[in-house]
Coordinates of all heavy atoms in Angstrom, one line a residue:
M1 N -17.0 12.6 5.6 CA -16.4 12.8 4.3 C -14.9 12.5 4.4 O -14.2 12.8 5.3 CB -16.4 14.3 3.9 CG -17.8 14.7 3.3 SD -18.2 14.1 1.7 CE -17.1 15.0 0.6
P2 N -14.4 11.6 3.5 CA -13.0 11.3 3.5 C -12.1 12.5 3.1 O -12.7 13.4 2.3 CB -12.9 10.2 2.4 CG -14.0 10.4 1.5 CD -15.1 11.0 2.3
Q3 N -11.0 12.5 3.6 CA -10.1 13.6 3.2 C -9.1 13.1 2.3 O -8.3 12.1 2.6 CB -9.3 14.1 4.6 CG -8.4 15.2 4.3 CD -7.4 15.4 5.4 OE1 -7.4 14.7 6.4 NE2 -6.4 16.2 5.2
W4 N -9.1 13.7 1.0 CA -8.2 13.2 0.0 C -6.9 13.8 0.1 O -6.8 15.1 0.2 CB -8.8 13.4 -1.4 CG -10.0 12.5 -1.7 CD1 -11.3 12.9 -1.6 CD2 -9.9 11.2 -2.2 NE1 -12.1 11.7 -2.0 CE2 -11.3 10.7 -2.3 CE3 -8.9 10.3 -2.5 CZ2 -11.6 9.4 -2.7 CZ3 -9.3 9.0 -3.0 CH2 -10.6 8.6 -3.0
V5 N -5.9 13.1 0.1 CA -4.5 13.6 0.3 C -3.6 13.3 -1.0 O -3.7 12.1 -1.4 CB -3.9 13.0 1.6 CG1 -2.5 13.4 1.7 CG2 -4.7 13.3 2.7
D6 N -2.9 14.2 -1.4 CA -2.1 14.0 -2.6 C -0.8 13.2 -2.1 O -0.1 13.6 -1.3 CB -1.6 15.4 -3.2 CG -0.8 15.2 -4.5 OD1 -0.1 14.2 -4.6 OD2 -0.9 16.1 -5.3
A7 N -0.7 12.0 -2.6 CA 0.4 11.1 -2.1 C 1.7 11.1 -2.9 O 2.8 11.1 -2.3 CB -0.1 9.6 -1.9
C8 N 1.4 11.1 -4.2 CA 2.7 11.1 -5.1 C 2.2 11.3 -6.6 O 1.0 11.3 -6.9 CB 3.4 9.7 -5.0 SG 2.4 8.3 -5.4
A9 N 3.2 11.3 -7.4 CA 2.9 11.3 -8.9 C 2.7 9.9 -9.3 O 3.4 9.0 -8.7 CB 4.0 12.0 -9.7
V10 N 1.9 9.7 -10.3 CA 1.8 8.4 -11.0 C 3.2 7.7 -11.2 O 3.4 6.6 -11.0 CB 0.9 8.5 -12.2 CG1 1.0 7.2 -13.1 CG2 -0.5 8.8 -11.9
D11 N 4.0 8.6 -11.8 CA 5.3 8.0 -12.2 C 6.3 7.7 -11.1 O 7.3 7.2 -11.3 CB 6.0 9.0 -13.3 CG 5.2 9.0 -14.5 OD1 4.5 8.1 -14.8 OD2 5.4 9.9 -15.3
D12 N 5.9 8.2 -9.9 CA 6.8 7.8 -8.7 C 6.8 6.4 -8.3 O 7.7 5.9 -7.6 CB 6.3 8.6 -7.5 CG 6.6 10.2 -7.6 OD1 7.4 10.5 -8.5 OD2 6.0 10.9 -6.9
V13 N 5.7 5.7 -8.8 CA 5.6 4.3 -8.4 C 5.8 3.4 -9.7 O 5.0 3.5 -10.6 CB 4.2 3.9 -7.8 CG1 4.3 2.6 -7.1 CG2 3.9 5.0 -6.8
E14 N 6.7 2.5 -9.7 CA 6.9 1.6 -10.8 C 5.8 0.6 -10.8 O 5.3 0.3 -9.7 CB 8.2 0.9 -10.6 CG 9.5 1.7 -10.5 CD 10.0 2.1 -11.8 OE1 10.2 1.3 -12.7 OE2 10.4 3.3 -12.0
E15 N 5.6 0.0 -12.0 CA 4.6 -1.1 -12.1 C 5.0 -2.2 -11.2 O 6.2 -2.6 -11.3 CB 4.5 -1.5 -13.6 CG 3.1 -1.5 -14.0 CD 2.9 -1.8 -15.5 OE1 3.1 -2.9 -15.9 OE2 2.7 -0.8 -16.2
E16 N 4.1 -2.9 -10.6 CA 4.4 -4.0 -9.6 C 5.4 -3.7 -8.6 O 6.4 -4.3 -8.3 CB 4.9 -5.2 -10.4 CG 4.6 -6.5 -9.8 CD 4.8 -7.7 -10.7 OE1 5.0 -7.5 -11.9 OE2 4.5 -8.8 -10.2
D17 N 5.2 -2.4 -7.9 CA 6.1 -1.9 -6.9 C 5.2 -1.2 -5.9 O 4.1 -0.9 -6.1 CB 7.2 -1.2 -7.5 CG 8.4 -1.1 -6.6 OD1 8.4 -1.7 -5.5 OD2 9.4 -0.5 -7.0
L18 N 5.9 -0.6 -4.9 CA 5.2 0.3 -4.0 C 6.2 1.3 -3.4 O 7.4 1.1 -3.5 CB 4.7 -0.5 -2.8 CG 5.7 -1.0 -1.7 CD1 4.9 -1.3 -0.4 CD2 6.5 -2.1 -2.1
I19 N 5.6 2.4 -2.8 CA 6.4 3.4 -2.1 C 5.8 3.7 -0.8 O 4.6 3.4 -0.6 CB 6.6 4.7 -3.0 CG1 5.3 5.4 -3.2 CG2 7.3 4.5 -4.3 CD1 5.4 6.8 -3.6
R20 N 6.6 4.2 0.1 CA 6.1 4.7 1.3 C 5.6 6.1 1.2 O 6.3 6.9 0.6 CB 7.3 4.5 2.4 CG 7.0 5.1 3.7 CD 8.3 5.0 4.7 NE 8.1 5.7 5.8 CZ 9.0 5.8 6.8 NH1 10.1 5.0 6.7 NH2 8.9 6.5 7.8
F21 N 4.6 6.4 2.1 CA 4.0 7.8 2.0 C 3.7 8.1 3.4 O 2.9 7.3 4.1 CB 2.8 7.9 1.1 CG 2.1 9.1 1.2 CD1 2.6 10.4 1.0 CD2 0.8 9.1 1.7 CE1 2.0 11.6 1.3 CE2 0.0 10.4 1.9 CZ 0.7 11.5 1.6
D22 N 4.2 9.1 4.0 CA 4.0 9.5 5.3 C 3.1 10.7 5.4 O 3.4 11.7 4.6 CB 5.3 9.8 6.1 CG 6.1 8.5 6.3 OD1 5.5 7.5 6.3 OD2 7.4 8.7 6.5
H23 N 2.1 10.8 6.3 CA 1.3 11.9 6.3 C 0.7 12.0 7.8 O 0.1 11.1 8.3 CB 0.1 11.7 5.4 CG -1.0 12.7 5.4 ND1 -0.7 14.1 5.0 CD2 -2.2 12.8 5.9 CE1 -1.8 14.8 5.1 NE2 -2.7 14.1 5.8
S24 N 0.8 13.2 8.3 CA 0.2 13.5 9.7 C 0.6 12.4 10.7 O -0.3 11.9 11.4 CB -1.3 13.6 9.6 OG -1.7 14.7 9.0
G25 N 1.8 12.0 10.7 CA 2.4 11.1 11.7 C 1.9 9.7 11.4 O 2.1 8.8 12.3
R26 N 1.3 9.4 10.4 CA 1.0 8.1 10.0 C 1.8 7.7 8.7 O 2.2 8.5 8.0 CB -0.5 8.0 9.6 CG -1.3 8.2 10.8 CD -2.8 8.6 10.5 NE -3.5 7.4 9.9 CZ -4.6 7.5 9.3 NH1 -5.3 8.7 9.2 NH2 -5.3 6.5 8.9
T27 N 1.9 6.4 8.5 CA 2.7 5.9 7.3 C 1.8 4.9 6.5 O 1.1 4.1 7.1 CB 4.0 5.3 7.7 OG1 4.8 5.0 6.6 CG2 3.8 4.0 8.6
F28 N 1.8 5.1 5.2 CA 1.1 4.3 4.3 C 1.9 3.7 3.2 O 3.1 4.1 3.1 CB 0.1 5.3 3.6 CG -0.9 6.0 4.5 CD1 -0.6 7.3 4.9 CD2 -2.1 5.5 4.8 CE1 -1.4 8.0 5.8 CE2 -2.9 6.2 5.7 CZ -2.6 7.4 6.2
A29 N 1.4 2.8 2.5 CA 2.0 2.2 1.3 C 1.2 2.5 0.1 O 0.0 2.1 0.2 CB 2.3 0.7 1.5
I30 N 1.7 2.9 -1.0 CA 1.1 3.1 -2.3 C 1.5 2.1 -3.2 O 2.7 2.0 -3.5 CB 1.3 4.6 -2.8 CG1 1.2 5.6 -1.7 CG2 0.4 4.8 -3.9 CD1 -0.2 5.8 -1.2
Y31 N 0.7 1.3 -3.8 CA 1.1 0.3 -4.8 C 0.6 0.6 -6.2 O -0.5 1.2 -6.4 CB 0.4 -1.0 -4.3 CG 0.6 -1.4 -2.9 CD1 -0.1 -0.8 -1.9 CD2 1.6 -2.5 -2.6 CE1 0.0 -1.2 -0.6 CE2 1.7 -2.7 -1.3 CZ 1.0 -2.2 -0.3 OH 1.2 -2.5 1.0
R32 N 1.4 0.1 -7.1 CA 1.0 0.1 -8.5 C 0.9 -1.3 -9.0 O 2.0 -2.0 -9.0 CB 1.9 0.9 -9.4 CG 1.5 1.1 -10.8 CD 2.3 2.2 -11.5 NE 1.9 2.5 -12.8 CZ 2.4 3.5 -13.5 NH1 3.4 4.3 -13.0 NH2 1.9 3.8 -14.7
S33 N -0.2 -1.9 -9.5 CA -0.3 -3.3 -9.8 C 0.2 -3.5 -11.2 O 0.4 -2.5 -12.0 CB -1.8 -3.7 -9.7 OG -2.5 -3.1 -10.7
P34 N 0.4 -4.8 -11.6 CA 0.8 -5.1 -12.9 C -0.2 -4.6 -14.0 O 0.1 -4.4 -15.1 CB 0.9 -6.6 -13.0 CG 1.0 -7.0 -11.6 CD 0.2 -5.9 -10.7
D35 N -1.4 -4.5 -13.6 CA -2.5 -4.0 -14.5 C -2.7 -2.6 -14.4 O -3.8 -2.0 -14.8 CB -3.8 -4.8 -14.4 CG -4.3 -5.0 -12.9 OD1 -3.5 -4.6 -12.1 OD2 -5.3 -5.7 -12.7
D36 N -1.8 -1.8 -13.8 CA -1.7 -0.4 -13.8 C -2.8 0.2 -12.9 O -3.3 1.4 -13.3 CB -1.7 0.2 -15.2 CG -0.8 1.5 -15.3 OD1 0.0 1.7 -14.4 OD2 -1.1 2.2 -16.2
E37 N -3.2 -0.4 -11.9 CA -4.1 0.2 -10.9 C -3.3 0.6 -9.7 O -2.3 0.0 -9.3 CB -5.2 -0.8 -10.5 CG -6.1 -1.3 -11.6 CD -7.1 -0.2 -12.1 OE1 -7.4 0.7 -11.3 OE2 -7.5 -0.3 -13.3
F38 N -3.8 1.6 -8.9 CA -3.1 2.0 -7.7 C -4.0 1.6 -6.5 O -5.2 1.6 -6.5 CB -3.0 3.6 -7.7 CG -1.9 4.0 -8.7 CD1 -2.2 4.2 -10.1 CD2 -0.6 4.1 -8.3 CE1 -1.3 4.5 -11.0 CE2 0.4 4.5 -9.2 CZ 0.1 4.7 -10.6
Y39 N -3.3 1.3 -5.4 CA -3.9 0.9 -4.2 C -3.2 1.5 -3.0 O -2.0 1.8 -3.2 CB -3.9 -0.7 -4.0 CG -4.6 -1.4 -5.1 CD1 -4.1 -1.7 -6.3 CD2 -6.0 -1.6 -4.9 CE1 -4.8 -2.4 -7.3 CE2 -6.7 -2.2 -6.0 CZ -6.0 -2.6 -7.2 OH -6.8 -3.2 -8.2
A40 N -3.8 1.6 -1.9 CA -3.1 2.1 -0.7 C -3.5 1.3 0.5 O -4.7 0.8 0.7 CB -3.5 3.6 -0.4
T41 N -2.5 1.0 1.4 CA -2.7 0.3 2.6 C -2.0 1.0 3.7 O -1.1 1.9 3.5 CB -2.2 -1.2 2.6 OG1 -0.7 -1.2 2.6 CG2 -2.8 -1.9 1.4
D42 N -2.2 0.6 5.0 CA -1.3 1.0 6.1 C 0.2 0.6 5.7 O 0.3 -0.5 5.0 CB -1.7 0.3 7.4 CG -2.7 1.1 8.2 OD1 -2.8 2.3 8.0 OD2 -3.4 0.5 9.0
G43 N 1.1 1.4 6.1 CA 2.4 1.2 5.7 C 3.2 0.2 6.5 O 4.3 -0.2 6.2
L44 N 2.7 -0.2 7.7 CA 3.3 -1.1 8.6 C 2.7 -2.5 8.6 O 1.5 -2.6 8.7 CB 3.4 -0.5 10.0 CG 4.1 0.9 10.1 CD1 3.9 1.3 11.5 CD2 5.5 0.8 9.8
C45 N 3.5 -3.5 8.6 CA 3.1 -4.8 8.7 C 2.2 -5.0 10.0 O 2.5 -4.5 11.0 CB 4.2 -5.8 8.7 SG 3.7 -7.6 8.8
T46 N 1.1 -5.8 9.9 CA 0.3 -6.0 11.2 C 1.0 -7.1 12.1 O 0.5 -7.2 13.2 CB -1.1 -6.5 10.8 OG1 -1.0 -7.7 10.0 CG2 -1.8 -5.5 9.9
H47 N 2.0 -7.6 11.7 CA 2.7 -8.6 12.5 C 3.6 -7.9 13.6 O 3.4 -7.9 14.8 CB 3.5 -9.7 11.7 CG 4.1 -10.7 12.6 ND1 5.5 -11.1 12.4 CD2 3.7 -11.4 13.6 CE1 5.7 -12.0 13.3 NE2 4.7 -12.3 14.0
E48 N 4.7 -7.3 13.1 CA 5.6 -6.6 14.0 C 5.9 -5.2 13.5 O 7.0 -4.7 13.8 CB 6.9 -7.4 14.2 CG 6.6 -8.6 15.1 CD 7.9 -9.3 15.4 OE1 9.0 -8.9 15.1 OE2 7.7 -10.3 16.2
H49 N 5.0 -4.6 12.8 CA 5.1 -3.1 12.4 C 6.4 -2.8 11.7 O 7.0 -1.7 12.0 CB 4.9 -2.3 13.7 CG 3.6 -2.7 14.4 ND1 2.4 -2.4 13.9 CD2 3.5 -3.3 15.6 CE1 1.5 -2.9 14.7 NE2 2.1 -3.5 15.8
V50 N 6.8 -3.5 10.7 CA 7.9 -3.2 9.9 C 7.3 -2.5 8.6 O 6.2 -2.7 8.2 CB 8.6 -4.6 9.5 CG1 9.6 -4.4 8.3 CG2 9.3 -5.2 10.7
H51 N 8.2 -1.5 8.1 CA 7.7 -0.9 6.9 C 7.5 -1.8 5.7 O 8.6 -2.4 5.3 CB 8.7 0.3 6.5 CG 8.4 1.4 7.4 ND1 7.4 2.3 7.3 CD2 9.1 1.9 8.5 CE1 7.5 3.3 8.1 NE2 8.5 3.0 9.0
L52 N 6.4 -1.8 5.2 CA 6.2 -2.8 4.0 C 6.8 -2.3 2.7 O 7.1 -3.0 1.8 CB 4.7 -2.9 3.8 CG 3.9 -3.8 4.8 CD1 2.4 -3.7 4.7 CD2 4.4 -5.2 4.9
A53 N 7.2 -1.0 2.7 CA 7.8 -0.3 1.5 C 9.2 -1.1 1.2 O 9.7 -1.0 0.1 CB 8.0 1.1 1.7
D54 N 9.7 -1.8 2.2 CA 11.0 -2.4 2.0 C 10.7 -3.9 1.5 O 11.7 -4.7 1.3 CB 11.8 -2.5 3.3 CG 12.2 -1.1 3.7 OD1 12.4 -0.2 2.9 OD2 12.2 -0.9 5.0
G55 N 9.4 -4.2 1.3 CA 9.1 -5.6 0.9 C 9.0 -5.7 -0.5 O 9.4 -4.9 -1.3
L56 N 8.5 -6.9 -0.9 CA 8.5 -7.3 -2.4 C 7.1 -7.4 -2.9 O 6.3 -8.0 -2.2 CB 9.2 -8.7 -2.4 CG 9.8 -9.1 -3.8 CD1 10.9 -8.1 -4.2 CD2 10.3 -10.5 -3.6
V57 N 6.8 -6.9 -4.0 CA 5.5 -7.0 -4.6 C 5.5 -8.1 -5.6 O 6.4 -8.0 -6.6 CB 5.0 -5.7 -5.2 CG1 3.8 -5.9 -6.1 CG2 4.7 -4.6 -4.2
M58 N 4.6 -9.0 -5.7 CA 4.4 -10.0 -6.7 C 3.1 -10.1 -7.1 O 2.2 -10.4 -6.3 CB 4.9 -11.4 -6.2 CG 6.4 -11.5 -6.0 SD 6.9 -12.8 -4.8 CE 6.1 -12.3 -3.4
D59 N 2.7 -9.7 -8.4 CA 1.3 -9.6 -8.7 C 0.5 -8.7 -7.8 O 0.9 -7.5 -7.7 CB 0.6 -11.0 -8.9 CG 1.2 -11.8 -10.0 OD1 1.6 -11.2 -11.0 OD2 1.3 -13.0 -9.9
H60 N -0.4 -9.2 -7.1 CA -1.2 -8.4 -6.1 C -0.9 -8.7 -4.7 O -1.7 -8.4 -3.8 CB -2.7 -8.7 -6.5 CG -3.1 -8.2 -7.8 ND1 -3.4 -9.0 -8.8 CD2 -3.1 -6.9 -8.3 CE1 -3.7 -8.3 -9.9 NE2 -3.5 -7.1 -9.6
I61 N 0.3 -9.2 -4.4 CA 0.7 -9.6 -3.1 C 1.9 -8.7 -2.7 O 2.8 -8.5 -3.5 CB 1.2 -11.1 -3.0 CG1 0.0 -12.0 -3.4 CG2 1.7 -11.5 -1.7 CD1 -1.1 -12.0 -2.4
I62 N 1.8 -8.3 -1.4 CA 3.1 -7.6 -0.8 C 3.6 -8.6 0.2 O 2.9 -9.1 1.0 CB 2.7 -6.3 -0.2 CG1 3.9 -5.7 0.6 CG2 1.5 -6.3 0.7 CD1 5.1 -5.3 -0.2
E63 N 4.9 -8.8 0.1 CA 5.5 -9.7 1.1 C 6.4 -8.9 2.0 O 7.2 -8.2 1.6 CB 6.4 -10.7 0.3 CG 7.0 -11.8 1.2 CD 8.0 -12.8 0.5 OE1 9.1 -12.4 0.2 OE2 7.4 -13.8 0.1
C64 N 6.1 -9.1 3.3 CA 6.8 -8.3 4.4 C 8.3 -8.7 4.3 O 8.7 -9.9 4.1 CB 6.2 -8.6 5.7 SG 7.0 -8.0 7.0
P65 N 9.1 -7.6 4.5 CA 10.6 -7.9 4.4 C 11.1 -8.7 5.7 O 12.2 -9.2 5.6 CB 11.2 -6.5 4.3 CG 10.2 -5.6 4.9 CD 8.9 -6.2 4.6
K66 N 10.4 -8.7 6.8 CA 10.9 -9.2 7.9 C 10.7 -10.7 8.1 O 11.7 -11.5 8.3 CB 10.3 -8.5 9.2 CG 11.2 -8.9 10.4 CD 11.0 -7.9 11.5 CE 11.9 -8.3 12.7 NZ 11.7 -7.4 13.9
H67 N 9.4 -11.2 8.1 CA 9.2 -12.6 8.2 C 8.5 -13.2 7.0 O 7.9 -14.3 7.1 CB 8.4 -12.9 9.4 CG 9.0 -12.3 10.7 ND1 8.3 -11.3 11.4 CD2 10.1 -12.5 11.4 CE1 9.0 -10.9 12.4 NE2 10.1 -11.7 12.4
N68 N 8.4 -12.4 5.9 CA 7.8 -12.9 4.7 C 6.3 -13.2 4.8 O 5.7 -14.1 4.1 CB 8.4 -14.2 4.1 CG 10.0 -14.0 4.1 OD1 10.8 -14.5 4.9 ND2 10.4 -13.2 3.1
G69 N 5.6 -12.5 5.8 CA 4.2 -12.6 5.8 C 3.6 -11.9 4.6 O 4.3 -11.0 4.0
R70 N 2.5 -12.4 4.1 CA 2.0 -11.9 2.8 C 0.6 -11.3 3.0 O -0.2 -11.8 3.7 CB 1.9 -12.9 1.8 CG 3.3 -13.4 1.4 CD 3.2 -14.7 0.5 NE 4.5 -15.0 0.1 CZ 4.8 -15.6 -1.0 NH1 3.8 -16.0 -1.9 NH2 6.0 -15.8 -1.4
F71 N 0.3 -10.3 2.2 CA -1.0 -9.6 2.1 C -1.4 -9.4 0.7 O -0.5 -9.1 -0.2 CB -1.0 -8.3 2.8 CG -0.6 -8.3 4.2 CD1 0.8 -8.2 4.5 CD2 -1.5 -8.5 5.3 CE1 1.3 -8.1 5.9 CE2 -1.0 -8.4 6.7 CZ 0.4 -8.3 6.9
D72 N -2.7 -9.5 0.3 CA -3.2 -9.0 -0.9 C -3.5 -7.5 -0.6 O -4.3 -7.0 0.1 CB -4.6 -9.7 -1.2 CG -5.1 -9.3 -2.5 OD1 -4.9 -8.1 -3.0 OD2 -5.8 -10.2 -3.2
Y73 N -2.7 -6.7 -1.4 CA -2.8 -5.2 -1.1 C -4.1 -4.6 -1.7 O -4.3 -3.5 -1.4 CB -1.5 -4.5 -1.6 CG -1.2 -4.7 -3.1 CD1 -1.9 -3.9 -4.0 CD2 -0.2 -5.5 -3.5 CE1 -1.6 -4.1 -5.4 CE2 0.2 -5.6 -4.8 CZ -0.6 -5.0 -5.8 OH -0.2 -5.0 -7.1
R74 N -4.9 -5.3 -2.5 CA -6.0 -4.8 -3.0 C -7.2 -4.8 -1.9 O -8.0 -3.9 -1.8 CB -6.6 -5.6 -4.2 CG -5.6 -5.6 -5.3 CD -6.0 -6.5 -6.4 NE -5.9 -7.9 -5.9 CZ -6.2 -8.9 -6.6 NH1 -6.6 -8.9 -7.9 NH2 -6.1 -10.2 -6.0
T75 N -7.1 -5.9 -1.0 CA -8.1 -6.0 0.0 C -7.6 -5.9 1.4 O -8.3 -5.7 2.3 CB -8.8 -7.4 -0.1 OG1 -7.7 -8.4 0.1 CG2 -9.4 -7.6 -1.5
G76 N -6.2 -6.0 1.5 CA -5.7 -6.0 2.8 C -5.5 -7.5 3.5 O -5.0 -7.6 4.6
E77 N -6.2 -8.4 2.9 CA -6.3 -9.7 3.4 C -4.9 -10.3 3.7 O -4.1 -10.3 2.8 CB -7.1 -10.6 2.5 CG -7.5 -12.0 3.1 CD -8.3 -12.8 2.1 OE1 -8.7 -12.3 1.1 OE2 -8.3 -14.0 2.5
A78 N -4.7 -10.8 4.9 CA -3.5 -11.5 5.2 C -3.5 -12.9 4.5 O -4.6 -13.6 4.6 CB -3.5 -11.7 6.7
K79 N -2.4 -13.2 3.8 CA -2.4 -14.4 2.9 C -1.4 -15.4 3.4 O -1.3 -16.5 2.8 CB -2.1 -14.0 1.6 CG -3.2 -13.2 0.9 CD -4.3 -14.2 0.5 CE -5.2 -13.6 -0.5 NZ -6.3 -14.5 -0.8
G80 N -0.5 -15.0 4.3 CA 0.5 -16.0 4.6 C 1.1 -15.8 6.0 O 1.3 -14.6 6.4
A81 N 1.3 -16.9 6.9 CA 1.8 -16.7 8.2 C 3.3 -16.1 8.1 O 4.0 -16.4 7.1 CB 1.9 -18.1 8.8
P82 N 3.7 -15.4 9.2 CA 3.0 -15.2 10.4 C 2.0 -14.0 10.4 O 1.5 -13.6 11.4 CB 4.2 -14.9 11.4 CG 5.1 -14.2 10.5 CD 5.1 -14.8 9.2
A83 N 1.8 -13.4 9.3 CA 0.8 -12.3 9.2 C -0.6 -12.9 9.2 O -0.9 -13.7 8.4 CB 1.0 -11.4 7.9
C84 N -1.4 -12.6 10.2 CA -2.7 -13.1 10.4 C -3.7 -12.0 10.5 O -5.0 -12.3 10.4 CB -2.8 -14.2 11.4 SG -2.2 -13.7 13.0
V85 N -3.4 -10.8 10.8 CA -4.3 -9.7 10.9 C -4.3 -9.0 9.6 O -3.2 -8.6 9.1 CB -3.9 -8.8 12.1 CG1 -4.8 -7.6 12.1 CG2 -3.9 -9.6 13.5
N86 N -5.5 -8.6 9.1 CA -5.5 -8.0 7.8 C -5.0 -6.6 7.9 O -5.1 -5.9 8.9 CB -7.0 -7.9 7.3 CG -7.6 -9.2 7.0 OD1 -6.9 -10.3 6.9 ND2 -8.9 -9.3 6.8
L87 N -4.4 -6.1 6.7 CA -4.0 -4.7 6.6 C -5.1 -3.8 6.3 O -6.1 -4.2 5.6 CB -3.1 -4.5 5.4 CG -1.6 -4.7 5.5 CD1 -1.0 -4.5 4.1 CD2 -1.0 -3.8 6.5
K88 N -5.1 -2.6 6.9 CA -6.2 -1.7 6.5 C -5.9 -1.0 5.1 O -4.8 -0.8 4.8 CB -6.2 -0.5 7.6 CG -7.4 0.4 7.4 CD -7.5 1.2 8.6 CE -8.6 2.4 8.4 NZ -9.7 2.0 7.6
T89 N -7.0 -0.9 4.4 CA -6.8 -0.4 3.0 C -7.5 1.0 2.9 O -8.4 1.3 3.7 CB -7.4 -1.3 1.9 OG1 -8.7 -1.5 2.1 CG2 -6.7 -2.6 1.8
Y90 N -7.1 1.8 1.9 CA -7.7 3.2 1.7 C -8.1 3.4 0.3 O -7.4 2.9 -0.6 CB -6.7 4.2 2.1 CG -6.3 4.1 3.6 CD1 -5.2 3.2 3.9 CD2 -6.9 4.7 4.6 CE1 -4.8 3.0 5.2 CE2 -6.5 4.5 5.9 CZ -5.5 3.7 6.2 OH -5.2 3.5 7.5
P91 N -9.1 4.1 0.0 CA -9.6 4.4 -1.3 C -8.5 5.2 -2.0 O -7.9 6.1 -1.4 CB -10.8 5.2 -1.2 CG -11.4 4.8 0.2 CD -10.2 4.6 1.0
V92 N -8.3 5.0 -3.3 CA -7.4 5.7 -4.1 C -8.0 6.2 -5.4 O -8.9 5.6 -6.0 CB -6.2 4.7 -4.5 CG1 -5.2 5.4 -5.5 CG2 -5.5 4.2 -3.3
K93 N -7.6 7.4 -5.8 CA -8.0 7.9 -7.2 C -6.8 8.6 -7.8 O -5.9 9.1 -7.1 CB -9.3 8.8 -7.1 CG -9.0 10.1 -6.4 CD -10.4 10.9 -6.3 CE -10.2 12.2 -5.5 NZ -11.4 12.9 -5.4
V94 N -6.9 8.6 -9.2 CA -5.8 9.2 -9.9 C -6.4 10.4 -10.6 O -7.5 10.3 -11.3 CB -5.1 8.3 -10.9 CG1 -4.2 9.0 -11.8 CG2 -4.5 7.1 -10.1
E95 N -5.8 11.6 -10.4 CA -6.3 12.8 -11.1 C -5.0 13.6 -11.6 O -4.2 13.8 -10.8 CB -7.0 13.7 -10.1 CG -8.4 13.3 -9.9 CD -9.2 14.2 -8.9 OE1 -8.6 15.2 -8.4 OE2 -10.3 13.9 -8.5
D96 N -5.1 13.9 -12.9 CA -4.0 14.8 -13.4 C -2.7 14.2 -13.1 O -1.7 15.0 -12.8 CB -4.1 16.2 -12.9 CG -5.5 16.9 -13.3 OD1 -6.0 16.5 -14.4 OD2 -6.0 17.7 -12.5
G97 N -2.5 13.0 -13.2 CA -1.2 12.4 -13.0 C -0.7 12.3 -11.5 O 0.4 12.0 -11.3
R98 N -1.6 12.6 -10.7 CA -1.4 12.5 -9.2 C -2.2 11.3 -8.6 O -3.4 11.1 -9.0 CB -1.7 13.8 -8.4 CG -1.1 15.0 -9.0 CD 0.4 15.1 -8.9 NE 0.9 14.9 -7.4 CZ 2.2 14.9 -7.0 NH1 3.1 14.9 -7.9 NH2 2.5 14.7 -5.8
V99 N -1.6 10.7 -7.6 CA -2.3 9.6 -6.9 C -2.8 10.2 -5.5 O -2.0 10.8 -4.8 CB -1.3 8.5 -6.6 CG1 -2.1 7.3 -5.9 CG2 -0.8 7.9 -8.0
L100 N -4.1 10.1 -5.3 CA -4.6 10.6 -4.1 C -5.2 9.5 -3.2 O -5.8 8.5 -3.8 CB -5.7 11.7 -4.4 CG -5.3 12.9 -5.0 CD1 -5.5 12.8 -6.5 CD2 -6.0 14.1 -4.5
I101 N -5.1 9.6 -1.9 CA -5.7 8.5 -1.1 C -6.6 9.2 -0.1 O -6.3 10.3 0.3 CB -4.6 7.6 -0.4 CG1 -3.9 8.3 0.7 CG2 -3.6 7.1 -1.4 CD1 -3.0 7.4 1.6
A102 N -7.6 8.4 0.3 CA -8.6 9.0 1.2 C -8.2 8.5 2.6 O -8.3 7.3 2.8 CB -10.0 8.5 0.8
V103 N -7.8 9.4 3.4 CA -7.5 9.1 4.8 C -8.6 9.7 5.7 O -9.1 10.7 5.4 CB -6.1 9.6 5.2 CG1 -5.0 9.0 4.5 CG2 -6.0 11.1 5.2
E104 N -9.0 8.9 6.7 CA -10.0 9.5 7.6 C -9.5 10.4 8.6 O -8.4 10.3 9.0 CB -11.0 8.5 8.3 CG -11.3 7.2 7.8 CD -10.2 6.1 7.8 OE1 -9.6 5.9 8.9 OE2 -10.0 5.6 6.8
Ligands
LIG1 S1 6.9 -8.2 10.7 FE1 5.8 -8.7 8.8 S2 5.6 -10.8 8.9 FE2 6.6 -10.4 10.8

């Protein structure tokens, strides 16, 4: 069974933006897409472990702040060099204005 964790309020994340969320010694990134859906991935770039929360969101892409590697945050798929290892993604649900993510 996944463990659902309360990550933030819906309003904590601007549309087409992301925030960092730390839990149990791990770090995640919570995204809000232009079509108002929420997504969650590991918070660190798979290239050199930089916090993606300092990066830039464009549509459904997060661009890493360090070397501009790109990922589709909906699937975690690496979309641009030097990032070539996919990001891990996590299920998300919204309940009562809160964003919950399923961490194993
Ligand atoms: S650290 Fe993210 S692309 Fe290099």
